[in-house]
Amino acid sequence: MSHPSPQPPQWPLRLLRRYGNPELVEEIQGDLYESFIDRVNHRGITYARWRYVWETLAFLRPASQTHLRVHHPPASRGELFWTYTRLSARYLLKHKAFLLINVLGLALGIATCLAIMHYVRFELGYDTSHVHAQRIYRVSTNIYSDGSEEKVAPAVYGLAPTLQANYDEVEAAVRLVPTTAIIQQKDGTVASEDYFFLADPEIFQVFTHPMLAGDPNKALQRPNSVVLSQSMAKKYLGNAPPTSLIGSHLVIDRQTYELTGIIEDVPKNSDLRFDALLSWEYNPDEWLEVGSFTYLLLKPDIKPEAFAQKLEAFDQKIVAPRVAQDWGTSTITVRHHLYPLTELHYTTNLLGDTEEKGNKSYVYIFSFIALIILIVAGVNYVNLFIAQVTRRNVEVGVAKAMGASQWQLGWQYISECFIITLLALILALAIVLLAGQIFANLLGTPIVWQTFLQSDTVGILLSLVLLISILAGSYPALVLASSRAVVALKGPSFLHRSRGRLRKVFIAFQFTVAISLVAGALIVREQVFYMRHKDLGFQQQEIAAVTIPYDTDGSQKAFAFKQQLQQDSRIEGVAIGSRPDGLWSWSSVSVTAQGQTKTMAANGINVDEDYLQVLQLPLVAGQNFTPIQPQQVIVNEAFVKQASWDDPVGQEVVFSETDKKEVIGVVKDFHFAPLHEHIEPLILFHDTSVGINLLVNIAPSDLEAIKAIWPNFFPNAPLEFEFLDQALDSRYRTEQRLLTLFNYFSGLSIFVACLGLLGLTAFTVQQKTKEIGIRKVLGANRRAIMYLLSREFAVLLLIAAVVATPVAWLAMRYWLQDFAYRTTIGAPVFLWAIGGVALLALITLSYHTLKAAATNPTDSLRYE
């Protein structure tokens, strides 16, 4: 029979509970009871009870309670902040591999996002540097003829002065006419410059070009005045201060010009880039000639839509009668349209337009992909962080038992995320700046580091750091930190179900993005390969297009130059004519078929009788030109089809009542325009008087044959040439850049996904260490262990493949619709994409799974 244990008197304890410090009662009670039991065993029950009463009453003294409160002051929020920040730093330094994987993956995502953000800012900033950019419009021309429409970037010469003189809505108007200039240098040599423009004096009223020297109001007022860009002034006049160069003279196209102004170089993101402006004299007799880029500065309160209606009335009242009078036809209608200056970079399909155009769709595509990459990196980061945090259940339990509140623990996790994200941001900035040239080549845009110091950029970056920190830290802050101490100390199993589902979703998302991007890259690659290798219908290799100087003697010298070249055995053929990939003229013509006369639009190029032979253009009907046949033309098959001719040879093409030409042959269709467009009607004129090139069939190694005799015919002009195959490649520079970016993005997404996979596999192996040990004791082999660890990821990869395939197919099918001639999307593309991602994922998994499968089961069972 057991005796009850001795108990201390209860009334002192009730007094202590009632009047003592409630924060200390529980602790004092425990200490008093331990002392009571000890005295019972050594001094007896009576002595023990007496000392118990005495010591309990002693704790009711005010001094005793005050002393205790002073000895344990509550920590301030600031102290807690630094305490938990130090704890976070110590934890991260202790787990360096985890820190490295997270920082590297996130840094790559942020670096990509930063580079793309810079590119988007550059692209969307075209011509926004002008003070009145939002009020400047370019007037372009649409020419209609019997249902056909041709859009031309320039307007008629007489438009700008007429509008400014008759419409109050126009504050200023300016015309710019592009010209290729031959400059005679001080040493007697000559140089050719392409970015020279004839300009009205009002140009500085419309555009904002900071002038380093000279008066913008008078710079182009006098004849033979020239304004140079800063770099052009240094090139031809030296490094003297700009103000000292004013009044210098330059010989341009055999005329002497006086330098009246020097401006800062035109920004690279400008649709109208030039190196020099030349004064010019407008001839009123050329009122209806289409050739000048015309810009209007509308007054502040003028709505462009309202002025466009007045412009339409102007076309009907003023332009239409002049068209009928000067062009001798009433079937052609000319209409002018306004295009906002800030949108000109994305305005395409206008003949004779300015700089290489951009594609706003690509800006959006790149932005979207960059956002996806950032999300992938962020998801990978959150996934790894949550996986790592859930192993800290014991730490949470102890902290909760010691009195840590939820917000204190939550702050610790968020501060850890903040440190990692901040490190990733610093690393990302370093990557962008160190690899600036690589990004510049990828995007076609220079990386300027000062951009990242602008206030809006700094604000975006800090917001990004805070957002990622809160998103990544909120889950453990809300779930793990809110758990009770007892539950947390039992182990991380209480989080497994919810956290496991979230982790699987994140992994599947990463695989989906990786497969989609790889499939997209393969399809873009196939399209680029298709465009580069498609038979365009004419000879491209070893055809050098030599530019003949445009002057009064150019065509005569070109003929003599051609004859000289034909005598060289290294040259297989020479022709005079327009480049098949260059600018071509446009004509509105009338044709008659089956008794019906119709008007149609057609492109035109000037050629000689050797043109078809040099470019290997086959005739499908009729014959080639003979040396003297100015009133005869050759058309292509598209022209015959649109004209509805059954027997085209001998038909008549009417340009005007006094200009009619006979069709003597039909050339097989060839792609003179990029593959984005269908083959349109084309007329080959037997004319070599204007806009000509010399097309020479010669190997690149034999160019000396041309260089040796060029000075004999054109001593004052530099030799300029380009091989056709290289020029045609440049047509698809945008698609090539898209392919490069797709390759980069898909590789990056796979790398980030594999980084995450590497970390999660390590986490899974650690979780299943004991299970692996038990299975190996029961006879499981390596293959079974690897299957155990890999099957979950295999299922997620399969789900990702099912989701990614239709998404990528729809997106790339939409992209291919921009091409008139395009490749087809087949199943092998997706099989390669899925197989490639699966292979890389398997290699990543193998590191930890093989290591786990080879571990001694005894060591596994000793784990924890």
Side-chain angles (χ1 to χ4, degrees):
M1 181 177 178
S2 62
H3 297 282
S5 60
Q7 294 295 323
Q10 296 299 309
W11 64 268
L13 186 58
R14 286 196 289 271
L15 286 176
L16 180 63
R17 289 174 179 166
R18 186 177 182 85
Y19 300 107
N21 188 337
E23 296 179 358
L24 305 173
V25 166
E26 189 174 350
E27 183 179 354
I28 294 172
Q29 181 182 349
D31 293 342
L32 289 173
Y33 185 77
E34 289 179 0
S35 299
F36 171 78
I37 295 299
D38 184 66
R39 287 170 183 142
V40 168
N41 294 332
H42 294 88
R43 303 290 297 272
I45 184 66
T46 304
Y47 179 79
R49 285 180 175 174
W50 178 82
R51 287 299 302 267
Y52 182 86
V53 171
W54 178 257
E55 291 178 353
T56 303
L57 294 176
F59 276 108
L60 295 176
R61 291 177 302 163
S64 177
Q65 297 185 37
T66 304
H67 172 73
L68 290 173
R69 283 197 294 270
V70 173
H71 186 67
H72 299 288
S76 65
R77 290 181 180 272
E79 291 172 331
L80 288 174
F81 171 82
W82 288 113
T83 299
Y84 285 113
T85 302
R86 285 198 301 272
L87 288 174
S88 300
R90 288 172 186 168
Y91 179 83
L92 294 174
L93 291 175
K94 186 178 178 182
H95 298 82
K96 294 184 179 62
F98 161 74
L99 178 64
L100 178 64
I101 290 176
N102 251 342
V103 169
L104 182 59
L106 192 58
L108 288 173
I110 295 177
T112 303
C113 195
L114 285 176
I116 295 294
M117 188 171 70
H118 186 84
Y119 165 78
V120 171
R121 182 194 293 270
F122 180 86
E123 284 290 311
L124 297 182
Y126 259 76
D127 288 311
T128 56
S129 61
H130 301 289
V131 174
H132 306 305
Q134 301 303 321
R135 293 195 282 132
I136 301 174
Y137 295 84
R138 192 182 73 185
V139 186
S140 295
T141 309
N142 284 19
I143 302 175
Y144 303 90
S145 177
D146 278 359
S148 64
E149 177 185 11
E150 200 69 39
K151 298 180 179 179
V152 186
V156 297
Y157 286 146
L159 184 68
T162 308
L163 290 178
Q164 187 167 8
N166 295 283
Y167 291 88
D168 294 335
E169 293 87 345
V170 179
E171 183 173 317
V174 62
R175 295 165 295 181
L176 292 104
V177 182
T179 180
T180 299
I182 304 297
I183 301 178
Q184 185 171 347
Q185 304 184 79
K186 294 179 180 178
D187 59 0
T189 60
V190 295
S192 176
E193 298 291 349
D194 293 328
Y195 291 94
F196 277 39
F197 281 80
L198 307 175
D200 289 325
E202 293 81 4
I203 184 171
F204 297 111
Q205 298 177 28
V206 177
F207 297 103
T208 307
H209 291 293
M211 187 161 275
L212 303 176
D215 185 350
N217 296 319
K218 300 178 181 177
L220 294 175
Q221 290 287 356
R222 297 196 305 271
N224 292 347
S225 300
V226 59
V227 174
L228 295 179
S229 66
Q230 188 176 13
S231 58
M232 197 58 54
K234 287 183 179 178
K235 181 177 180 180
Y236 290 107
L237 299 174
N239 293 319
T243 51
S244 65
L245 297 177
I246 297 300
S248 303
H249 292 86
L250 281 174
V251 178
I252 304 173
D253 291 338
R254 302 177 184 174
Q255 295 187 39
T256 301
Y257 283 80
E258 179 186 357
L259 180 65
T260 55
I262 298 177
I263 60 172
E264 291 183 1
D265 288 348
V266 178
K268 293 185 182 299
N269 56 347
S270 174
D271 185 72
L272 185 64
R273 295 181 59 192
F274 57 83
D275 292 323
L277 299 171
L278 308 175
S279 60
W280 73 311
E281 295 182 11
Y282 162 59
N283 181 2
D285 293 337
E286 299 174 343
W287 194 97
L288 202 56
E289 287 193 17
V290 179
S292 65
F293 295 112
T294 301
Y295 297 88
L296 304 180
L297 174 63
L298 299 183
K299 290 183 177 176
D301 298 330
I302 302 301
K303 294 184 178 179
E305 298 81 7
F307 185 71
Q309 294 180 355
K310 290 191 175 183
L311 194 59
E312 184 176 354
F314 170 83
D315 289 333
Q316 296 174 352
K317 184 179 178 180
I318 305 297
V319 178
R322 299 205 64 150
V323 169
Q325 177 184 345
D326 292 10
W327 291 357
T329 177
S330 58
T331 59
I332 297 178
T333 303
V334 176
R335 291 286 182 269
H336 292 100
H337 297 274
L338 297 178
Y339 290 86
L341 176 68
T342 53
E343 292 295 321
L344 288 179
H345 180 58
Y346 304 104
T347 303
T348 58
N349 299 324
L350 296 181
L351 284 178
D353 211 337
T354 50
E355 286 288 316
E356 179 184 352
K357 296 300 181 181
N359 190 328
K360 192 171 277 189
S361 298
Y362 285 178
V363 176
Y364 296 141
I365 289 174
F366 294 159
S367 303
F368 178 74
I369 293 177
L371 180 63
I372 290 295
I373 292 294
L374 183 62
I375 292 175
V376 167
V379 163
N380 179 68
Y381 168 57
V382 173
N383 213 12
L384 282 174
F385 187 80
I386 292 176
Q388 191 71 13
V389 159
T390 53
R391 298 171 55 195
R392 298 163 64 179
N393 57 297
V394 175
E395 175 189 329
V396 173
V398 172
K400 298 282 284 189
M402 295 298 292
S405 63
Q406 181 181 353
W407 81 265
Q408 290 170 341
L409 288 173
W411 171 254
Q412 180 180 348
Y413 297 130
I414 292 177
S415 62
E416 287 178 15
C417 292
F418 182 80
I419 292 173
I420 295 174
T421 311
L422 193 60
L423 289 174
L425 175 63
I426 295 171
L427 181 59
L429 286 170
I431 292 173
V432 172
L433 296 179
L434 292 175
Q437 190 56 47
I438 298 175
F439 281 113
N441 293 336
L442 278 173
L443 300 171
T445 303
I447 300 293
V448 183
W449 64 270
Q450 290 89 342
T451 306
F452 301 116
L453 299 180
Q454 295 178 358
S455 57
D456 55 342
T457 306
V458 172
I460 292 174
L461 295 179
L462 291 180
S463 301
L464 186 65
V465 170
L466 289 176
L467 179 65
I468 294 176
S469 302
I470 292 173
L471 288 177
S474 58
Y475 180 82
L478 293 174
V479 179
L480 193 59
S482 65
S483 62
R484 292 184 298 163
V486 175
V487 176
L489 287 170
K490 287 181 178 177
S493 58
F494 71 102
L495 288 171
H496 280 181
R497 181 169 299 175
S498 59
R499 192 265 310 151
R501 283 197 297 268
L502 185 63
R503 178 169 58 87
K504 292 176 183 176
V505 171
F506 284 171
I507 295 173
F509 173 75
Q510 288 178 295
F511 280 142
T512 302
V513 172
I515 293 172
S516 300
L517 289 177
V518 172
L522 291 175
I523 293 171
V524 173
R525 179 180 177 277
E526 286 196 357
Q527 177 62 20
V528 172
F529 182 85
Y530 173 85
M531 291 187 296
R532 282 183 166 177
H533 295 83
K534 180 175 174 56
D535 182 10
L536 299 181
F538 62 91
Q539 172 73 15
Q540 308 159 45
Q541 285 74 31
E542 299 187 346
I543 299 293
V546 180
T547 302
I548 301 298
Y550 181 60
D551 58 30
T552 54
D553 300 331
S555 59
Q556 297 178 4
K557 290 181 179 177
F559 183 72
F561 186 47
K562 172 187 172 183
Q563 289 182 318
Q564 184 75 26
L565 291 175
Q566 285 176 325
Q567 297 175 10
D568 195 310
S569 60
R570 293 170 291 182
I571 296 174
E572 298 185 12
V574 186
I576 298 177
S578 307
R579 289 173 53 156
D581 63 320
L583 295 177
W584 46 89
S585 62
W586 173 90
S587 299
S588 176
V589 299
S590 296
V591 295
T592 301
Q594 302 171 355
Q596 299 292 325
T597 300
K598 62 187 297 186
T599 303
M600 56 183 285
N603 299 282
I605 57 178
N606 297 330
V607 304
D608 70 355
E609 60 277 7
D610 294 320
Y611 194 85
L612 301 184
Q613 183 268 328
V614 170
L615 292 182
Q616 298 183 15
L617 292 169
L619 283 168
V620 296
Q623 62 181 26
N624 193 8
F625 293 114
T626 55
I628 304 176
Q629 290 176 318
Q631 297 303 316
Q632 295 176 336
V633 295
I634 295 175
V635 298
N636 68 348
E637 292 175 303
F639 189 102
V640 175
K641 182 178 181 181
Q642 187 163 333
S644 305
W645 285 335
D646 296 328
D647 184 11
V649 177
Q651 297 284 352
E652 192 174 61
V653 179
V654 180
F655 295 86
S656 67
E657 292 184 1
T658 59
D659 188 5
K660 302 177 182 178
K661 299 185 187 303
E662 178 190 2
V663 175
I664 63 168
V666 179
V667 67
K668 187 176 177 60
D669 279 342
F670 63 96
H671 294 275
F672 55 91
L675 293 176
H676 300 80
E677 305 170 18
H678 291 282
I679 297 176
E680 296 183 345
L682 177 70
I683 302 174
L684 276 62
F685 297 95
H686 193 204
D687 183 0
T688 58
S689 59
V690 292
I692 56 174
N693 291 270
L694 217 61
L695 303 177
V696 185
N697 190 350
I698 185 173
S701 57
D702 295 329
L703 281 174
E704 191 59 34
I706 301 176
K707 295 177 181 177
I709 61 173
W710 174 266
N712 299 337
F713 295 89
F714 306 100
N716 296 322
L719 173 61
E720 294 181 350
F721 64 89
E722 187 177 23
F723 281 95
L724 283 186
D725 52 350
Q726 297 172 1
L728 290 168
D729 258 1
S730 66
R731 280 180 168 182
Y732 309 113
R733 194 177 300 153
T734 303
E735 285 74 21
Q736 181 61 47
R737 184 180 303 157
L738 180 65
L739 171 62
T740 306
L741 283 174
F742 254 110
N743 289 335
Y744 172 78
F745 285 140
S746 55
L748 180 63
S749 68
I750 293 174
F751 181 74
V752 172
C754 288
L755 266 183
L757 202 58
L758 188 67
L760 289 174
T761 311
F763 170 72
T764 303
V765 169
Q766 286 183 351
Q767 271 192 321
K768 297 188 176 184
T769 300
K770 281 192 174 180
E771 182 182 349
I772 293 171
I774 295 171
R775 286 178 179 269
K776 293 191 72 172
V777 168
L778 296 177
N781 55 22
R782 289 190 178 188
R783 183 180 300 176
I785 298 300
M786 291 186 64
Y787 173 75
L788 170 70
L789 297 173
S790 307
R791 63 182 177 185
E792 179 183 340
F793 297 107
V795 172
L796 295 177
L797 182 63
L798 183 62
I799 294 173
V802 171
V803 176
T805 300
V807 171
W809 184 81
L810 287 172
M812 298 314 296
R813 183 170 176 268
Y814 177 77
W815 175 72
L816 284 174
Q817 288 178 352
D818 284 343
F819 299 88
Y821 303 90
R822 51 184 177 262
T823 185
T824 56
I825 302 177
V829 168
F830 298 101
L831 294 178
W832 277 108
I834 296 169
V837 174
L839 178 62
L840 292 174
L842 180 63
I843 293 173
T844 306
L845 285 169
S846 300
Y847 174 75
H848 285 299
T849 53
L850 286 173
K851 187 177 176 182
T855 303
N856 190 324
T858 307
D859 296 335
S860 301
L861 292 173
R862 284 177 180 171
Y863 183 73
E864 293 182 347

